[in-house]
Amino acid sequence: MEKVIAIVDIGKTNKKIFLFDKTFSIVYQKSVKFDEVTDDDGYCCDDLDAIETWVKNGIKTIQDEGKYQIKAINFSTHGASLVYLNKNGERITPLYNYLKPLDLNDYSDFYESQGGTAEFSRKTASPAYGMLNTGIQMLSLKRNKPETWEHVHAILHYPQYLSYLFTGEITADFTSVGAHTATWDFDKMAYHSWLKDENITLPEPCKGNEAVITKINGEPIAVGTGLHDSSSSIIPILENENNNDFVLLSTGTWIITMNPFSKETLTQHQLQNNCLCFMTPEKQQVKSSMQFLGRIHEVYIKTLSDFYKVDIDYHLDLVLNTRLCKELIEQNARVFLSEGIDTDFEAHPEYLQNFLSYETAYYQLIYEISKKVISAIELISDEKATLKDVYISGGFNKNKIFIAFLEILKPSITIKISDCKNESALGAALLMKDYLK
């Protein structure tokens, strides 16, 4: 049997299982989408029961088929998602959706007790994002559902919960707690003291290459603790570049701009402009900017399709028109996006009445997205740093119009398309390479 590493890669839309061989090539993959369910407040959320069953059955099926011998399993998931366990190790809540509305005014007393929103957010490298801050999710559950909170014995981020399903171990990792959770003190590089004040105990994070050897369906397998997907996606490029400076654009529903080489601490100016910090599996700061631009792109290609009565993927057939790119840059108009941080993620069909064609409307949308991405790159670059290489991973690395706008807007950079596929899964696999023996 061929020895492999299995990776469970959970996105908001697609749930996947990959097998990587000793050359870290994908030799097997399964993908599925699940219908959402509703939580105890009636808000949509992932069907965690179905996902759990699919993951366990997927691993067992691979073992039963006998073609591959799984030597290690690791996990990569989207962030801002928590699982609460009772003292019997049973899950007691739904997987609350990070897009669920949460009024930050209800937590003004908390922010004031921590020195104010600005300073607390700087210290934790976590803009006040509501449900996107898992620490605030914990406070929300404690305050609003005390009858549930009294049964909380352990709190796990999503990757560690999937690991727990196989090991029964309560764990944490640096990439998850460092991802805008409002629980990590980046000044002290340790959990923030407010957790102790609130009697909240979280497991100490371990490095990403640590694993627990456990028997799964009778076979000994090294099970990793899992990673936050965006932080995982930078691992393959770090290995290939041998620490040559670069910035990574991880593109999808979010466009996350990541600089693992920034030595400067996060400033209030950066924080107020969508910047934050992630962490590597080895506990190093990754200066980043997180913008919901992919979501805006998604809603507008649907609206463009309806308005111009074309296929939803029509934008993929557009021929690159650099002359139009330059004209739009010269005009520097703003139609679809706000001047500062975007808060409106719904499409407005009425905006399309200003355009003569699908092409000009789509190019204008991509221009505005590209302009925000260039601003993000500049914001997370250290003052005296000279940036040359910008990698693009994810869906936008196939968008020639997006790439052209970036190159015209900032000609000093070289755009590199990440040649590895499924970067977050590959990053999680690379951390398990010592167990592939």
Side-chain angles (χ1 to χ4, degrees):
M1 283 192 292
E2 186 175 7
K3 296 177 180 179
V4 294
I5 296 170
I7 301 298
V8 178
D9 188 47
I10 304 292
K12 282 293 285 180
T13 303
N14 296 304
K15 325 300 178 186
K16 301 176 182 179
I17 295 177
F18 296 99
L19 297 183
F20 290 86
D21 66 12
K22 62 183 179 182
T23 67
F24 290 94
S25 299
I26 294 172
V27 295
Y28 170 101
Q29 70 178 80
K30 284 281 187 182
S31 179
V32 68
K33 295 180 182 179
F34 292 99
D35 291 334
E36 289 186 319
V37 294
T38 54
D39 65 18
D40 44 359
D41 298 313
Y43 196 84
C44 61
C45 67
D46 272 359
D47 186 347
L48 197 47
D49 285 329
I51 293 169
E52 286 179 29
T53 301
W54 178 76
V55 169
K56 289 178 179 178
N57 288 345
I59 295 299
K60 188 174 189 305
T61 297
I62 293 166
Q63 291 176 304
D64 289 346
E65 287 174 349
K67 184 176 179 181
Y68 300 104
Q69 182 184 11
I70 299 174
K71 298 295 290 181
I73 302 176
N74 210 358
F75 312 88
S76 166
T77 83
H78 60 78
S81 301
L82 294 174
V83 176
Y84 302 87
L85 305 178
N86 64 18
K87 64 181 180 180
N88 296 322
E90 301 162 333
R91 178 166 57 85
I92 57 174
T93 63
L95 190 75
Y96 293 115
N97 191 332
Y98 62 62
L99 296 178
K100 187 175 182 176
L102 184 150
D103 189 350
L104 277 173
N105 290 325
D106 294 340
Y107 301 88
S108 56
D109 61 323
F110 169 76
Y111 280 102
E112 287 170 15
S113 72
Q114 301 302 321
T117 303
E119 175 57 17
F120 177 73
S121 297
R122 183 206 63 77
K123 199 176 185 69
T124 58
S126 302
Y129 280 157
M131 286 289 284
L132 278 167
N133 306 129
T134 50
I136 303 302
Q137 285 191 38
M138 296 174 203
L139 277 181
S140 173
L141 188 69
K142 183 180 180 183
R143 292 184 176 190
N144 300 321
K145 299 182 179 181
E147 69 285 353
T148 301
W149 182 260
E150 67 178 353
H151 296 291
V152 172
H153 180 72
I155 304 173
L156 297 172
H157 280 92
Y158 200 175
Q160 284 74 59
Y161 176 65
L162 295 180
S163 177
Y164 168 83
L165 292 177
F166 292 97
T167 67
E169 298 282 338
I170 305 298
T171 58
D173 91 293
F174 290 113
T175 68
S176 294
V177 300
H180 51 82
T181 63
T183 64
W184 190 259
D185 185 333
F186 276 81
D187 289 348
K188 297 179 180 178
M189 292 304 279
Y191 280 125
H192 196 285
S193 59
W194 77 263
L195 293 167
K196 187 176 181 181
D197 295 341
E198 292 284 344
N199 294 316
I200 296 175
T201 302
L202 299 179
E204 283 301 315
C206 58
K207 290 192 174 181
N209 61 356
E210 295 183 24
V212 175
I213 308 297
T214 189
K215 282 199 172 182
I216 300 175
N217 304 314
E219 298 180 23
I221 295 175
V223 181
T225 55
L227 301 97
H228 173 241
D229 56 6
S230 296
S231 301
S232 184
S233 69
I234 206 167
I235 295 171
I237 303 174
L238 280 169
E239 289 219 354
N240 289 338
E241 281 293 321
N242 294 318
N243 287 326
N244 293 323
D245 286 16
F246 66 86
V247 161
L248 171 65
L249 303 182
S250 176
T251 67
T253 303
W254 295 87
I255 294 184
I256 302 178
T257 312
M258 294 186 282
N259 178 4
F261 302 98
S262 172
K263 302 296 189 292
E264 297 173 357
T265 57
L266 193 69
T267 66
Q268 288 290 355
H269 174 70
Q270 289 170 327
L271 188 69
Q272 291 161 9
N273 286 276
N274 258 341
C275 296
L276 63 159
C277 289
F278 292 119
M279 278 197 292
T280 69
E282 286 73 39
K283 200 180 176 180
Q284 293 176 310
Q285 166 187 285
V286 180
K287 187 80 67 65
S288 304
S289 167
M290 195 167 89
Q291 301 180 92
F292 211 24
L293 297 173
R295 160 73 177 187
I296 294 172
H297 182 264
E298 288 169 13
V299 298
Y300 269 108
I301 60 171
K302 173 67 168 63
T303 302
L304 281 161
S305 170
D306 294 341
F307 188 86
Y308 290 100
K309 295 180 172 50
V310 296
D311 187 82
I312 194 165
D313 290 328
Y314 185 73
H315 63 289
L316 299 175
D317 298 324
L318 293 177
V319 176
L320 179 60
N321 185 340
T322 53
R323 176 188 55 79
L324 180 55
C325 290
K326 291 175 182 177
E327 286 177 1
L328 293 176
I329 290 172
E330 284 181 13
Q331 292 169 10
N332 194 27
R334 180 168 54 81
V335 178
F336 298 105
L337 304 182
S338 63
E339 186 67 33
I341 294 176
D342 293 288
T343 56
D344 182 0
F345 305 114
E346 301 303 323
H348 295 272
E350 65 272 18
Y351 294 170
L352 301 180
Q353 295 171 3
N354 300 322
F355 298 95
L356 296 175
S357 68
Y358 180 106
E359 181 187 37
T360 53
Y362 184 75
Y363 268 70
Q364 176 66 35
L365 174 66
I366 297 301
Y367 163 61
E368 294 183 45
I369 289 173
S370 303
K371 190 177 175 184
K372 293 225 169 189
V373 169
I374 291 295
S375 295
I377 291 171
E378 293 172 346
L379 269 170
I380 64 169
S381 297
D382 287 356
E383 188 175 351
K384 295 182 180 179
T386 303
L387 174 66
K388 293 182 180 178
D389 294 339
V390 174
Y391 278 89
I392 306 179
S393 69
F396 278 78
N397 70 6
K398 301 179 187 70
N399 193 315
K400 294 178 181 178
I401 301 167
F402 174 68
I403 293 168
F405 271 121
L406 295 182
E407 291 175 332
I408 298 169
L409 286 165
K410 197 170 180 65
S412 62
I413 61 174
T414 300
I415 301 294
K416 294 188 173 184
I417 304 304
S418 175
D419 58 3
C420 58
K421 307 294 183 184
N422 303 293
E423 290 90 347
S424 59
L426 177 57
L430 286 168
L431 291 179
M432 295 291 102
K433 60 187 174 185
D434 288 346
Y435 302 95
L436 193 58
K437 296 175 182 177

